[in-house]
Amino acid sequence: MESRKAITVYTESTPNPASLKFVASQYLLEEGSVEYQHLADAVNAPFAASLFQFSGVKSVFITSNFVTITKDESLDWYELSPLLRTYIQQYLREGSPLFTGPKIQQADANVATTITSAIDEKIIATLDEYVKPAVEQDGGAILFKSFESGIVTVVLKGSCSGCPSSTMTLKGGIENLLKQLIPEVTEVVAEAG
Protein backbone atom coordinates (compact mmCIF):
# COMPACT_ATOMS: atom_id res chain seq x y z
CA MET A 1 0.00 0.00 0.00
CA GLU A 2 1.41 3.37 -1.04
CA SER A 3 1.61 5.97 1.69
CA ARG A 4 1.24 9.63 0.86
CA LYS A 5 2.98 12.49 2.57
CA ALA A 6 0.88 14.48 4.99
CA ILE A 7 1.07 17.88 3.32
CA THR A 8 -1.08 20.88 4.06
CA VAL A 9 -1.38 24.00 1.94
CA TYR A 10 -3.20 27.16 2.95
CA THR A 11 -3.52 30.59 1.38
CA GLU A 12 -2.57 34.03 2.62
CA SER A 13 -3.53 37.28 1.00
CA THR A 14 -0.85 39.75 -0.06
CA PRO A 15 -0.94 43.54 -0.47
CA ASN A 16 -1.09 42.91 -4.22
CA PRO A 17 -4.70 41.95 -5.10
CA ALA A 18 -3.48 40.05 -8.18
CA SER A 19 -1.19 37.80 -6.08
CA LEU A 20 -1.95 35.09 -3.55
CA LYS A 21 0.50 33.22 -1.34
CA PHE A 22 0.13 29.41 -1.06
CA VAL A 23 1.97 28.22 2.06
CA ALA A 24 3.01 24.55 2.27
CA SER A 25 3.94 22.45 5.30
CA GLN A 26 7.25 21.53 3.64
CA TYR A 27 10.17 23.37 2.09
CA LEU A 28 9.93 24.04 -1.63
CA LEU A 29 13.30 25.76 -1.96
CA GLU A 30 15.95 25.66 0.74
CA GLU A 31 17.71 28.89 -0.17
CA GLY A 32 16.86 32.00 -2.19
CA SER A 33 13.94 32.29 -4.55
CA VAL A 34 13.04 31.77 -8.18
CA GLU A 35 10.45 33.53 -10.28
CA TYR A 36 8.94 32.55 -13.60
CA GLN A 37 7.16 35.23 -15.63
CA HIS A 38 6.29 32.90 -18.52
CA LEU A 39 5.83 29.19 -19.12
CA ALA A 40 8.92 29.19 -21.35
CA ASP A 41 11.04 30.34 -18.35
CA ALA A 42 10.14 27.21 -16.36
CA VAL A 43 12.21 24.72 -18.35
CA ASN A 44 13.86 23.32 -15.19
CA ALA A 45 10.76 23.64 -13.02
CA PRO A 46 7.97 21.16 -13.81
CA PHE A 47 6.01 22.37 -10.77
CA ALA A 48 5.98 25.99 -11.97
CA ALA A 49 5.31 24.88 -15.54
CA SER A 50 2.28 22.90 -14.40
CA LEU A 51 0.87 25.94 -12.57
CA PHE A 52 0.98 27.94 -15.82
CA GLN A 53 -1.50 25.42 -17.25
CA PHE A 54 -4.21 27.04 -15.13
CA SER A 55 -6.02 29.74 -17.05
CA GLY A 56 -5.02 33.23 -15.94
CA VAL A 57 -1.74 32.40 -14.14
CA LYS A 58 0.71 35.18 -15.07
CA SER A 59 3.72 34.43 -12.84
CA VAL A 60 4.97 31.89 -10.29
CA PHE A 61 7.36 32.83 -7.47
CA ILE A 62 8.84 30.06 -5.29
CA THR A 63 10.81 30.45 -2.08
CA SER A 64 11.25 28.56 1.21
CA ASN A 65 7.83 27.06 2.01
CA PHE A 66 5.51 29.03 -0.23
CA VAL A 67 4.62 29.82 -3.81
CA THR A 68 3.13 33.17 -4.76
CA ILE A 69 0.96 33.10 -7.85
CA THR A 70 0.00 36.24 -9.73
CA LYS A 71 -3.11 35.99 -11.86
CA ASP A 72 -4.68 37.94 -14.66
CA GLU A 73 -6.70 40.75 -13.09
CA SER A 74 -9.85 39.76 -15.01
CA LEU A 75 -10.14 36.53 -13.01
CA ASP A 76 -11.46 36.18 -9.47
CA TRP A 77 -9.51 34.44 -6.70
CA TYR A 78 -12.80 33.06 -5.40
CA GLU A 79 -12.85 30.45 -8.17
CA LEU A 80 -9.13 30.07 -8.89
CA SER A 81 -7.75 29.82 -5.33
CA PRO A 82 -9.39 26.51 -4.28
CA LEU A 83 -8.35 24.85 -7.55
CA LEU A 84 -4.74 25.95 -7.18
CA ARG A 85 -4.57 25.06 -3.48
CA THR A 86 -5.89 21.55 -4.12
CA TYR A 87 -3.56 21.09 -7.08
CA ILE A 88 -0.46 22.26 -5.17
CA GLN A 89 -1.30 20.03 -2.21
CA GLN A 90 -1.80 17.01 -4.48
CA TYR A 91 1.42 17.72 -6.42
CA LEU A 92 3.45 17.89 -3.21
CA ARG A 93 1.78 14.79 -1.71
CA GLU A 94 2.70 12.76 -4.77
CA GLY A 95 6.35 13.78 -4.35
CA SER A 96 6.54 15.00 -7.94
CA PRO A 97 9.73 16.95 -8.71
CA LEU A 98 9.67 20.70 -8.19
CA PHE A 99 12.86 21.18 -10.19
CA THR A 100 14.96 19.15 -12.60
CA GLY A 101 18.65 19.48 -13.33
CA PRO A 102 21.07 20.49 -10.58
CA LYS A 103 20.08 19.44 -7.06
CA ILE A 104 20.50 23.02 -5.84
CA GLN A 105 18.77 25.58 -8.03
CA GLN A 106 20.55 28.81 -8.81
CA ALA A 107 18.22 31.23 -7.14
CA ASP A 108 17.82 34.73 -8.49
CA ALA A 109 20.11 34.06 -11.46
CA ASN A 110 18.98 37.23 -13.22
CA VAL A 111 20.20 39.45 -10.38
CA ALA A 112 23.95 39.82 -10.70
CA THR A 113 25.03 41.35 -7.41
CA THR A 114 28.57 42.56 -7.12
CA ILE A 115 29.54 43.65 -3.63
CA THR A 116 32.19 46.30 -4.12
CA SER A 117 32.25 48.20 -0.85
CA ALA A 118 31.53 48.21 2.84
CA ILE A 119 28.44 50.31 2.09
CA ASP A 120 27.12 47.53 -0.18
CA GLU A 121 27.57 45.08 2.68
CA LYS A 122 25.82 47.41 5.12
CA ILE A 123 22.88 47.91 2.73
CA ILE A 124 22.52 44.15 2.21
CA ALA A 125 22.69 43.49 5.97
CA THR A 126 20.05 46.17 6.62
CA LEU A 127 17.73 44.80 3.92
CA ASP A 128 18.20 41.24 5.26
CA GLU A 129 17.50 42.21 8.86
CA TYR A 130 14.74 44.81 8.58
CA VAL A 131 13.10 44.53 5.18
CA LYS A 132 13.36 40.97 3.87
CA PRO A 133 11.20 39.32 6.60
CA ALA A 134 8.31 41.75 6.03
CA VAL A 135 8.52 41.41 2.25
CA GLU A 136 8.54 37.60 2.51
CA GLN A 137 5.54 37.77 4.83
CA ASP A 138 3.75 39.59 2.02
CA GLY A 139 4.62 36.86 -0.51
CA GLY A 140 7.57 38.51 -2.21
CA ALA A 141 11.29 39.10 -2.16
CA ILE A 142 13.64 42.07 -2.30
CA LEU A 143 17.19 41.75 -3.57
CA PHE A 144 20.05 44.22 -3.57
CA LYS A 145 21.31 44.90 -7.09
CA SER A 146 23.63 47.91 -6.83
CA PHE A 147 24.64 51.10 -5.06
CA GLU A 148 25.94 53.93 -7.17
CA SER A 149 26.13 57.69 -6.55
CA GLY A 150 23.85 57.44 -3.51
CA ILE A 151 21.19 55.40 -5.33
CA VAL A 152 20.33 51.90 -4.16
CA THR A 153 18.77 49.69 -6.82
CA VAL A 154 16.76 46.71 -5.62
CA VAL A 155 14.83 44.01 -7.46
CA LEU A 156 11.28 43.20 -6.36
CA LYS A 157 9.89 39.72 -6.96
CA GLY A 158 6.74 37.76 -6.27
CA SER A 159 3.74 39.73 -5.03
CA CYS A 160 5.90 42.87 -4.72
CA SER A 161 6.53 43.01 -8.45
CA GLY A 162 3.76 45.16 -9.88
CA CYS A 163 2.04 45.66 -6.54
CA PRO A 164 0.05 48.91 -6.40
CA SER A 165 1.43 49.73 -2.94
CA SER A 166 5.06 48.79 -3.65
CA THR A 167 6.08 52.34 -4.64
CA MET A 168 4.70 53.74 -1.39
CA THR A 169 6.43 51.00 0.62
CA LEU A 170 9.67 51.50 -1.27
CA LYS A 171 9.78 55.28 -0.83
CA GLY A 172 8.01 55.65 2.51
CA GLY A 173 9.51 52.66 4.28
CA ILE A 174 12.62 51.17 2.73
CA GLU A 175 14.15 54.41 1.45
CA ASN A 176 13.57 56.21 4.76
CA LEU A 177 15.07 53.30 6.72
CA LEU A 178 18.19 53.10 4.54
CA LYS A 179 18.68 56.89 4.59
CA GLN A 180 18.41 56.90 8.37
CA LEU A 181 20.84 54.00 8.93
CA ILE A 182 23.22 54.66 6.02
CA PRO A 183 23.77 58.41 5.39
CA GLU A 184 25.37 57.74 1.98
CA VAL A 185 21.99 56.56 0.63
CA THR A 186 19.98 59.31 -1.07
CA GLU A 187 17.39 57.29 -2.98
CA VAL A 188 16.06 53.76 -3.50
CA VAL A 189 14.75 52.62 -6.87
CA ALA A 190 13.26 49.28 -7.85
CA GLU A 191 13.33 47.04 -10.86
CA ALA A 192 10.78 44.30 -11.43
CA GLY A 193 12.19 40.80 -11.07
Side-chain angles (χ1 to χ4, degrees):
M1 185 170 161
E2 184 181 322
S3 66
R4 292 186 171 211
K5 296 180 187 178
I7 303 287
T8 58
V9 175
Y10 64 91
T11 60
E12 289 182 0
S13 61
T14 72
N16 184 346
S19 298
L20 194 61
K21 182 176 168 182
F22 293 83
V23 182
S25 61
Q26 76 173 38
Y27 274 100
L28 307 177
L29 191 62
E30 290 189 27
E31 187 177 318
S33 62
V34 289
E35 184 169 38
Y36 305 97
Q37 297 288 337
H38 309 282
L39 173 60
D41 298 338
V43 293
N44 71 335
F47 174 58
S50 69
L51 292 171
F52 277 105
Q53 302 308 311
F54 285 85
S55 178
V57 171
K58 288 176 57 177
S59 72
V60 176
F61 171 78
I62 303 169
T63 191
S64 62
N65 69 326
F66 68 87
V67 57
T68 299
I69 297 175
T70 302
K71 66 168 181 63
D72 184 288
E73 293 180 16
S74 66
L75 296 174
D76 192 328
W77 278 122
Y78 180 76
E79 294 177 10
L80 191 57
S81 171
L83 296 172
L84 287 167
R85 189 189 67 74
T86 301
Y87 177 79
I88 292 167
Q89 188 169 10
Q90 183 67 29
Y91 192 98
L92 297 175
R93 278 185 181 158
E94 290 174 357
S96 300
L98 300 177
F99 302 99
T100 58
K103 179 103 172 134
I104 297 176
Q105 294 298 308
Q106 182 178 1
D108 312 315
N110 65 337
V111 181
T113 301
T114 305
I115 299 172
T116 59
S117 70
I119 294 174
D120 289 354
E121 290 177 5
K122 192 170 183 181
I123 292 168
I124 291 168
T126 302
L127 290 173
D128 285 350
E129 184 175 349
Y130 296 105
V131 180
K132 185 179 176 183
V135 170
E136 285 179 353
Q137 183 68 31
D138 286 344
I142 184 168
L143 306 161
F144 171 79
K145 185 169 184 182
S146 65
F147 174 71
E148 191 174 320
S149 302
I151 300 172
V152 175
T153 302
V154 296
V155 175
L156 299 175
K157 293 180 161 252
S159 66
C160 298
S161 181
C163 177
S165 63
S166 66
T167 302
M168 185 174 61
T169 301
L170 187 71
K171 294 296 182 182
I174 299 166
E175 184 175 279
N176 286 341
L177 175 71
L178 288 176
K179 284 173 154 180
Q180 182 180 10
L181 298 176
I182 307 164
E184 295 85 355
V185 173
T186 58
E187 185 181 6
V188 177
V189 296
E191 293 180 359

